[in-house]
């Protein structure tokens, strides 16, 4: 447990330091510089510090889920581990995407990731999942976590887009958003993430239905988690159809993205938070 918490704490410190560095870099631009001008070249140490933080958090997540060394028992899980895992995968995808496209907003994303890394430190209680060894559960779990991560990143991306669009209209772009790519590029990236996340969410729902007995120990029931997840799937399906048929974009796309993400968040992380932190009982 101490090793796991130390790894998460190290990751949070790394993300916070990087976020503070980028924030200072944007704030220190010469007076009168264009709001779209990139800050000075980042020091060499920033290129390896983020992978270090991702590696530390990944090790902490593995220790929390399986134990180090792996004890062979059932996987443990909690709302804090779910939130941390979602944001870790989202940050990893963002980092990999940055090799293809110039991305901005690092301070905001890094500060959010730091809070996610601290979640298992602040709420260390985890509960064993007795059916975690089944193939059905593993497929369901992997698809669900990957989908949640992509939709988390899509929601953060949508917030960046909304803030940037609003500030550009006022001709007052903040330093934290100064290096974002053009809004059209960001919109295309948003729908790529939503499309991939929608396929993974579909896979999570299908595996949940097909393997409900082995995953949950009971036939499929329409509890609040299932209803929220299906409602989120319907919203994202409607958004993709609207984009294809009616060319939805801009504020309409942002609202649908955030609404779908909120429902998806309530479907699992929110319900586990209520069960574990407020009601003090294991959730699933």
């Amino acid at each position: 447990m101490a090793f796991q918490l130390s790894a998460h704490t190290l990751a949070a410190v790394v993300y916070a330091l990087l976020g503070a560095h980028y924030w200072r870099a944007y704030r220190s631009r010469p007076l009168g510089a264009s709001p779209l001008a990139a800050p000075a070249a980042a020091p060499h140490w920033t290129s390896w510090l983020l992978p270090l933080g991702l590696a530390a958090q990944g090790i902490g997540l593995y220790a929390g889920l399986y134990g180090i060394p792996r004890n062979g028992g059932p996987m443990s899980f909690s709302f804090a581990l779910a939130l941390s895992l979602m944001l870790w995968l989202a940050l990893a995808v963002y980092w990999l995407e940055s090799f293809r496209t110039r991305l901005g907003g690092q301070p905001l994303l890094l500060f959010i990731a730091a809070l996610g890394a601290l979640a298992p430190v602040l709420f260390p209680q985890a509960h064993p999942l007795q059916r975690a060894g089944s193939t059905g559960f593993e497929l369901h779990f992997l698809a669900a976590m990957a989908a949640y991560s992509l939709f988390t990143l899509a929601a953060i991306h949508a917030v960046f887009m909304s803030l940037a669009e609003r500030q550009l209209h006022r001709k007052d772009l903040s330093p934290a958003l100064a290096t974002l790519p053009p809004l059209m590029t960001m919109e295309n990236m948003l729908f790529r993430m939503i499309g991939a996340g929608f396929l993974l969410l579909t896979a999570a729902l299908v595996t949940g239905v097909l393997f409900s007995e082995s995953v949950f120990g009971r036939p499929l029931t329409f509890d609040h988690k299932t209803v929220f997840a299906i409602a989120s799937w319907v919203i994202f399906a409607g958004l993709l159809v609207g984009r294809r048929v009616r060319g939805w974009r801009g504020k309409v796309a942002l609202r649908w993205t955030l609404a779908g993400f909120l429902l998806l968040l309530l479907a699992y992380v929110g319900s586990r938070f209520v069960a574990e932190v407020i009601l003090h009982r294991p959730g699933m």
Side-chain angles (χ1 to χ4, degrees):
M1 175 65 75
F3 176 79
Q4 171 201 348
L5 299 184
S6 298
H8 280 286
T9 302
L10 174 61
V13 170
V14 167
Y15 299 154
L17 286 175
L18 271 175
H21 164 75
Y22 284 122
W23 180 262
R24 286 196 301 268
Y26 296 144
R27 296 291 294 180
S28 63
R29 290 176 305 163
L31 186 65
S34 167
L36 297 178
H44 177 70
W45 57 267
T46 61
S47 63
W48 55 262
L49 199 56
L50 180 55
L52 173 63
L54 289 169
Q57 189 178 1
I59 293 171
L61 286 168
Y62 187 90
L65 293 171
Y66 299 106
I68 295 182
R70 186 165 181 172
N71 53 28
M75 182 175 69
S76 297
F77 211 47
S78 66
F79 93 92
L81 285 171
L83 183 62
S84 184
L85 178 58
M86 288 164 54
L87 289 172
W88 176 71
L89 287 171
L91 183 59
V93 171
Y94 188 89
W95 175 60
L96 293 174
E97 184 71 24
S98 69
F99 289 102
R100 294 182 48 192
T101 307
R102 187 196 70 170
L103 296 173
Q106 298 100 328
L108 297 176
L109 181 58
L110 286 165
F111 290 145
I112 293 171
L115 293 175
L118 280 177
V121 178
L122 299 175
F123 303 99
Q125 301 84 3
H127 308 283
L129 303 179
Q130 299 300 330
R131 298 170 184 85
S134 69
T135 301
F137 179 88
E138 291 177 357
L139 291 173
H140 176 77
F141 176 82
L142 291 174
M145 286 298 102
Y148 289 2
S149 301
L150 280 172
F151 284 129
T152 299
L153 184 55
I156 295 172
H157 194 81
V159 171
F160 287 168
M161 288 178 59
S162 179
L163 292 174
E165 184 177 22
R166 187 176 306 170
Q167 292 178 11
L168 282 171
H169 282 307
R170 296 201 308 259
K171 298 182 179 179
D172 183 26
L173 192 63
S174 68
L177 303 176
T179 60
L180 287 172
L183 287 176
M184 187 63 69
T185 301
M186 293 185 66
E187 190 173 89
N188 291 334
M189 290 173 56
L190 175 67
F191 277 95
R192 286 204 305 271
M193 289 184 283
I194 291 174
F198 179 76
L199 291 176
L200 289 166
L201 179 59
T202 302
L205 291 173
V206 169
T207 53
V209 171
L210 293 179
F211 302 106
S212 182
E213 194 73 39
S214 61
V215 171
F216 304 111
R218 62 182 185 274
L220 180 67
T221 57
F222 284 91
D223 56 12
H224 65 283
K225 289 177 287 188
T226 304
V227 171
F228 280 140
I230 293 175
S232 178
W233 184 91
V234 170
I235 285 178
F236 284 118
L239 174 57
L240 292 173
V241 171
R243 167 78 167 183
R244 180 84 174 181
V245 175
R246 306 192 62 179
W248 285 355
R249 56 190 301 273
K251 293 182 179 179
V252 174
L254 300 182
R255 292 193 192 103
W256 280 62
T257 300
L258 294 176
F261 171 72
L262 179 60
L263 287 173
L264 197 60
L265 195 65
L266 290 173
Y268 189 75
V269 177
S271 64
R272 288 196 72 99
F273 176 81
V274 171
E276 296 171 16
V277 177
I278 299 178
L279 301 180
H280 302 289
R281 66 175 184 234
M284 178 56 211

